[in-house]
């Protein structure tokens, strides 16, 4: 997607690392089989408080610090033994069957605590809450306050929670499955259905395991790739290895109210630049005219046209980028505002000046190469003095 002067850049390309299909398939199968899903089954028996439906809000407020906080699980559940009451689950756990090091919310192992001791903790919390939440407490019915304050051992119950492999996030699964939790990737980039990793050398022996877990755990993922060599060349491409999933690089991305199609194997895209795309576009008004010298698939020119009604000119040296930029212009219904071209950045900008296009903003989103082109503005406006001097972003 990125351009540079043909004199100073070698063309980049994308390829899959050359590993025999048989050995790669065998390694990938082994990676999936390496995960013992039974290790992630956890059964927890926790204390709970029975409350009548009309008391649930008061009890929740007064017992808030004592409630069980587990992501994706509710602390207020139906009482299976009586339809006339609910159960408020507490953080005090009687027993854990499975790996106790799995991070299950704020559970406190309290095997030695009797019901009387749990009740004493609840009563102390109720009194503390009454004192610290005076304003809110006065809004609650006095009968409800009295009922919660008068909890007895008979109001305590037990509830069993069970979670399995499907419950845990990709990071938890990898930290428990890899020989060292520090081998777990800390982040990834998502491009449509594609997960893009940049693994360290010490993570590479486990790359297929990492890829298979991410594909299974991250919704909508169909392909996982790893960057093998640094980004480079005139088109800013990189070598990649497919770690898991389909050999399908045709992705669709939604960003800043626009939709983009692209072949990720043929051009450069960085999802982390969404905020920068938005920031630049938000500075423009419909009186402006935008010239993007390194336009890629159009993440500046298309939202500028669609959201700000800005006349835009998008250019890129990579024919694949321009092909998809044209498609995206049509897809986002801005054909009347966006013109595209495929040429060197220098030639593109000088041509606009020669054509007396009064562009007010120039985007050159290619940090390592853009400075090479700044000299083109020196003397470029001598014959076009009526044109405004643009802001270079």
């Amino acid at each position: 997607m990125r351009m540079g002067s043909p004199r100073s850049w070698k063309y980049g390309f994308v390829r899959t690392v050359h590993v025999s299909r048989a050995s790669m398939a065998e390694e990938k199968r082994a990676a999936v089989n390496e995960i013992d899903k039974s290790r992630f089954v956890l059964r927890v028996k926790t204390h709970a408080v029975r409350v009548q439906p009309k008391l649930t809000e008061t009890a929740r407020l007064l017992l808030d610090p004592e409630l069980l906080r587990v992501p994706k699980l509710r602390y207020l559940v139906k009482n299976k033994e009586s339809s006339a009451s609910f159960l408020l689950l507490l953080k005090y756990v009687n027993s854990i069957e499975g790996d106790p090091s799995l991070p299950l919310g704020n559970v406190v192992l309290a095997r030695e605590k009797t019901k009387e001791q749990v009740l004493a903790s609840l009563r102390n919390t109720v009194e503390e809450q009454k004192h610290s939440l005076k304003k809110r407490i006065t809004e609650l019915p006095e009968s409800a306050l009295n009922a919660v304050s008068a909890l007895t051992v008979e109001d305590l119950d037990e509830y069993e929670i069970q979670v399995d492999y499907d419950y845990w996030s990709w990071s938890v699964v990898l930290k428990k499955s890899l020989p060292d939790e520090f081998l777990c990737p800390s982040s990834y980039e998502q491009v449509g259905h594609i997960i893009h990793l940049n693994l360290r050398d010490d993570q590479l022996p486990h790359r297929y395991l990492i890829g298979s877990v991410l594909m299974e755990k991250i919704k909508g993922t169909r392909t996982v790739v790893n960057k093998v060599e640094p980004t480079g060349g005139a088109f800013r491409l990189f070598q990649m290895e497919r770690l898991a999933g389909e050999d399908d690089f045709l992705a669709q991305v939604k960003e800043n109210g626009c939709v983009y199609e692209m072949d990720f194997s043929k051009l450069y895209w960085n999802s982390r630049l969404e905020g920068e795309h938005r920031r630049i576009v938000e500075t423009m008004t419909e009186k402006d005219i935008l010239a993007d010298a390194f336009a890629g698939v159009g993440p500046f020119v298309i939202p500028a046209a669609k959201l700000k009604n800005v006349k835009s000119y998008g250019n890129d040296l990579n024919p694949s980028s321009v092909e998809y930029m044209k498609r995206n212009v049509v897809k986002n219904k801005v054909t009347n505002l966006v013109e595209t071209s495929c040429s060197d950045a220098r030639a593109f900008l000088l041509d606009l000046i020669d054509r007396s296009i009064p562009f007010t903003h120039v985007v050159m989103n290619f940090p390592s190469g853009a400075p090479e082109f700044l000299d083109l503005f020196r003397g470029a406006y001598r014959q076009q003095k009526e044109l405004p001097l643009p802001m270079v972003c």
Side-chain angles (χ1 to χ4, degrees), residues 210-225:
I210 293 170
S212 65
V213 170
L214 287 171
M215 191 177 72
E216 186 175 26
K217 286 290 183 180
I218 299 174
K219 187 178 180 180
T221 302
R222 301 201 309 273
T223 305
V224 182
V225 300

Side-chain angles (χ1 to χ4, degrees), residues 102-116:
L102 286 168
L104 193 65
N106 66 338
V107 297
V108 176
L109 191 57
R111 288 194 183 102
E112 306 302 323
K113 269 198 173 190
T114 64
K115 282 189 174 183
E116 287 76 11

Side-chain angles (χ1 to χ4, degrees), residues 6-270:
R7 298 186 298 275
S8 60
W9 292 96
K10 293 181 180 179
Y11 284 81
F13 62 99
V14 176
R15 65 169 171 83
T16 300
V17 172
H18 294 298
V19 180
S20 73
R21 291 183 180 274
S23 64
M24 183 182 292
E26 186 176 333
E27 280 193 65
K28 289 181 179 178
R29 282 195 299 271
V32 175
N33 294 333
E34 192 176 335
I35 301 174
D36 180 4
K37 294 186 178 181
S38 66
R39 291 179 53 203
F40 296 91
V41 176
L42 202 60
R43 294 181 183 86
V44 175
K45 289 184 179 180
T46 184
H47 285 287
V49 177
R50 285 192 301 273
V51 293
Q52 297 175 9
K54 64 181 180 181
L55 298 179
T56 54
E57 180 57 27
T58 302
R60 185 203 62 77
L61 185 63
L62 294 178
L63 297 173
D64 185 74
E66 304 286 346
L67 299 180
L68 180 69
R69 307 287 185 179
V70 175
K72 297 188 284 188
L73 296 180
R74 298 172 65 89
Y75 55 72
L76 179 65
V77 299
K78 291 181 179 180
N79 186 353
K80 297 177 182 177
E81 298 180 359
S82 172
S83 59
S85 64
F86 288 89
L87 294 178
L88 273 174
L89 307 186
L90 304 175
K91 64 184 179 182
Y92 301 112
V93 171
N94 280 329
S95 65
I96 296 179
E97 183 180 336
D99 184 351
S101 67
L102 286 168
L104 193 65
N106 66 338
V107 297
V108 176
L109 191 57
R111 288 194 183 102
E112 306 302 323
K113 269 198 173 190
T114 64
K115 282 189 174 183
E116 287 76 11
Q117 290 172 320
V118 171
L119 182 62
S121 296
L122 299 184
R123 286 176 172 169
N124 287 336
T125 298
V126 167
E127 293 306 313
E128 289 173 2
Q129 289 291 90
K130 284 181 178 179
H131 180 73
S132 62
L133 301 173
K134 287 181 180 179
K135 187 174 180 180
R136 293 190 63 184
I137 293 299
T138 57
E139 299 172 358
L140 298 174
E142 187 174 349
S143 59
L145 288 170
N146 292 336
V148 175
S149 301
L151 289 174
T152 69
V153 172
E154 299 302 318
D155 296 311
L156 296 184
D157 209 329
E158 190 175 72
Y159 187 84
E160 181 173 289
I161 298 169
Q162 178 172 319
V163 295
D164 57 19
Y165 176 81
D166 293 335
Y167 168 81
W168 304 104
S169 67
W170 64 269
S171 58
V172 170
V173 171
L174 286 177
K175 285 176 181 178
K176 288 294 179 181
S177 301
L178 295 170
D180 187 331
E181 69 172 33
F182 294 105
L183 293 173
C184 179
S186 58
S187 63
Y188 60 84
E189 179 186 4
Q190 188 157 12
V191 184
H193 69 276
I194 302 167
I195 293 294
H196 167 213
L197 294 166
N198 191 4
L199 298 178
R200 305 190 308 267
D201 289 345
D202 59 340
Q203 295 169 324
L204 291 178
H206 311 285
R207 61 191 183 278
Y208 296 128
L209 172 63
I210 293 170
S212 65
V213 170
L214 287 171
M215 191 177 72
E216 186 175 26
K217 286 290 183 180
I218 299 174
K219 187 178 180 180
T221 302
R222 301 201 309 273
T223 305
V224 182
V225 300
N226 179 49
K227 186 176 185 179
V228 176
E229 291 185 4
T231 302
F235 297 166
R236 290 282 287 162
L237 304 180
F238 59 86
Q239 298 180 19
M240 66 175 73
E241 178 183 10
R242 180 164 53 93
L243 304 181
E246 305 169 6
D247 190 14
D248 177 13
F249 297 99
L250 186 59
Q252 181 170 287
V253 177
K254 294 181 180 179
E255 180 186 282
N256 294 326
C258 302
V259 180
Y260 303 95
E261 278 188 5
M262 67 192 76
D263 186 334
F264 190 59
S265 68
K266 294 181 179 179
L267 50 85
Y268 178 86
W269 173 269
N270 189 341

Side-chain angles (χ1 to χ4, degrees), residues 289-294 344-354 357-365 369-385 387-393:
I289 297 177
L290 171 63
D292 188 348
F294 308 100
D344 177 76
R346 184 181 299 273
F348 161 69
L349 291 170
L350 289 175
D351 177 66
L352 291 182
I353 295 172
D354 289 342
I357 303 297
F359 55 89
T360 58
H361 289 69
V362 177
V363 172
M364 304 179 78
N365 189 26
E372 295 185 18
F373 299 90
L374 293 177
D375 67 298
L376 73 87
F377 294 106
R378 188 180 298 121
Y381 288 89
R382 286 174 184 166
Q383 305 301 319
Q384 304 282 7
K385 294 182 179 179
L387 295 179
L389 293 178
M391 176 182 293
V392 180
C393 305

